[in-house]
Amino acid sequence: MAKIAVMGHGVVGSGVVEVINTNRSHIAKRAGEEIEVKRVLDLREFPGLPYTDLFTKDFQDICNDEEISVVCETMGGLHPAYEFTKSLLESGKSVITSNKELVAQKGAELLKIAKEYNVNYLFEASVGGGIPIIRPLHRCLAGNDIEEIVGILNGTTNFILTKMIDDEMPFEEALALAQKLGYAEKDPTADIEGGDACRKICILAALAYGTHVYPENVHTTGITKLTLADVDYARSWGGVIKLIGRAKPVENGDVSMMVCPMFVPNESVLSSVHDVFNGVLVKGNAVDKVAFIGRGAGKLPTASAVVGDVVAAVKEKGTSISQTWKPADRNVVTDYKQGSNKFYVRVVADDPTTAKQLIESCFTEVCYLTRENQPENELAFTTGMMVECEARKAAEQIAKQGIKVLAKIRILDLI
Ligand code: HSE
């Protein structure tokens, strides 16, 4: 019988206990032995649960317990999760985490410690909730040169955007619903401003390209400035708006990365990833394109990924199966301003006819869009491929002539 502990009895932690108790016999068959939750760490009280007697507020009750071989860290945040994880690995226990913030900041260091102590630090649940993406990327796709990763990596924002697109639900109402359903972070700023998706694309890039990537080096824009007008123009263009994380290797070991809302064409599989679902497209030079789609947040889907890692850690005890990557000795993320994209732009102008002439002289391959109830002074258009800094200069030039730029959104070229 393998004894495990769970640190943090929130949405994910309580889901882990539930999945282990509900699927006990299936899990035992796959792990080769029964798995039992011996301790649950949380500072809050949880009276009335069938396992209330397992709770402790003292981390040492877990760290010093030699019977416990695997610990699930579902607390979130950097501290004290980092210190706890380090101590546990150094005590010879494997740690399973759903904590993307910690993996994105300290992954290289914690993986190195795990290797030194011949235990595992596994983090399948840190990206894509219930979607198996970490192990497929570093194991099943290990024979490939990964040419690009593009993903919808945040369930909360995808849920909000779906409500805005399908139901014309106001942003705040959709966010409140996502929080109620347990999808959002404690502080949803990380969801709506793109920080959570950024951590996840950094973890995928580190796995695919072998070097730690710090989220603060990745240009990140969230969804808070999107309007229903932009959603309508995306529809008339033939697509939808999604929050996209993207990583693509360039020369010298550098990686071009970005997190931002994008127009996604209806032909892309990502356009049909709705609600709390996440979708990740990986392009390998041998396999071509592979899509991974599933529930990107929520209690049981995320617990499913955690418990999968628990089973792996129990089964592979004494073997270090975690993928490692190098600490970052330099910033490998290229300057996004030198990258190129096509853009959608929405403006208001007192005199649209004159404005059109100026727009066409500043932007390339201008193509106008229309929408129902379009105000007379509003223009929306897409551009050809432009270097980021040139597109910005063009927007500044038209703004100087009194044309107010209300939105500028990148367009995803199909991978
Ligand atoms: N807040 C996150 C999301 C939870 O909405 O995707 C899963 O990481």
Side-chain angles (χ1 to χ4, degrees), residues 66 106 161 193 211 226 243 345 389:
E66 289 187 1
K106 302 280 188 187
L161 288 173
E193 296 295 359
T211 305
L226 297 179
L243 182 67
V345 185
C389 52

Side-chain angles (χ1 to χ4, degrees), residues 100 125-126 129 153-157 183-185 191 196 200 276 278 296-298 302:
K100 51 261 157 142
S126 66
L153 297 165
N154 182 268
T156 301
T157 45
Y183 303 150
E185 300 300 301
D191 295 299
D196 179 74
K200 292 167 178 168
V276 75
N278 283 189
T302 313

Side-chain angles (χ1 to χ4, degrees), residues 164-385:
M164 287 173 76
I165 294 165
D166 292 354
D167 305 340
E168 300 206 351
M169 188 184 274
F171 176 87
E172 293 301 337
E173 201 180 310
L175 172 60
L177 191 53
Q179 286 178 295
K180 193 174 148 208
L181 293 168
Y183 303 150
E185 300 300 301
K186 268 182 226 150
D187 173 4
T189 313
D191 295 299
I192 58 181
E193 296 295 359
D196 179 74
C198 180
R199 289 165 189 151
K200 292 167 178 168
I201 194 71
C202 286
I203 295 171
L204 296 182
L207 268 178
Y209 308 121
T211 305
H212 196 93
V213 180
Y214 284 102
E216 47 272 32
N217 293 332
V218 177
H219 182 70
T220 300
T221 317
I223 65 161
T224 50
K225 296 197 171 68
L226 297 179
T227 65
L228 292 175
D230 300 317
V231 166
D232 283 349
Y233 280 119
R235 190 180 291 120
S236 85
W237 168 79
V240 283
I241 304 179
K242 296 286 181 190
L243 182 67
I244 296 289
R246 190 167 203 181
K248 194 175 179 162
V250 288
E251 59 282 350
N252 309 324
D254 287 353
V255 188
S256 157
M257 291 181 67
M258 194 178 286
V259 174
C260 59
M262 290 188 116
F263 270 34
V264 176
N266 287 333
E267 296 76 35
S268 167
V269 66
L270 293 179
S271 72
S272 51
V273 175
H274 302 302
D275 294 313
V276 75
F277 283 73
N278 283 189
V280 189
L281 275 177
V282 179
K283 187 163 188 282
N285 67 342
V287 71
D288 196 21
K289 283 174 269 184
V290 198
F292 301 85
I293 295 171
R295 289 188 181 274
K299 180 175 172 169
L300 296 182
T302 313
S304 157
V306 173
V307 176
D309 275 349
V310 170
V311 171
V314 167
K315 206 170 163 182
E316 316 269 356
K317 199 173 174 202
T319 325
S320 181
I321 57 167
S322 330
Q323 167 86 352
T324 55
W325 58 75
K326 282 193 307 183
D329 49 6
R330 66 183 180 90
N331 173 20
V332 293
V333 182
T334 55
D335 179 3
Y336 82 95
K337 292 194 249 19
Q338 303 311 321
S340 296
N341 277 295
K342 291 180 180 174
F343 293 87
Y344 146 87
V345 185
R346 181 165 61 92
V347 303
V348 285
D350 294 337
D351 177 0
T353 312
T354 323
K356 276 186 172 178
Q357 285 169 7
L358 187 61
I359 286 167
E360 286 158 33
S361 71
C362 294
F363 291 91
T364 61
E365 296 170 50
V366 172
C367 209
Y368 293 99
L369 301 173
T370 55
R371 67 170 173 126
E372 249 180 60
N373 305 320
Q374 179 173 347
E376 270 180 21
N377 64 348
E378 183 180 83
L379 288 171
F381 57 94
T382 58
T383 73
M385 211 45 130

Side-chain angles (χ1 to χ4, degrees), residues 30-63:
R30 288 169 195 144
E33 59 186 304
E34 269 202 49
I35 295 177
E36 186 185 275
V37 179
K38 187 175 179 190
R39 284 287 194 186
V40 181
L41 178 76
D42 205 296
L43 294 176
R44 297 164 295 178
E45 301 288 336
F46 292 91
L49 289 175
Y51 53 92
T52 295
D53 55 322
L54 304 185
F55 278 84
T56 175
K57 293 183 172 53
D58 185 357
F59 167 68
Q60 297 307 332
D61 285 345
I62 292 172
C63 199

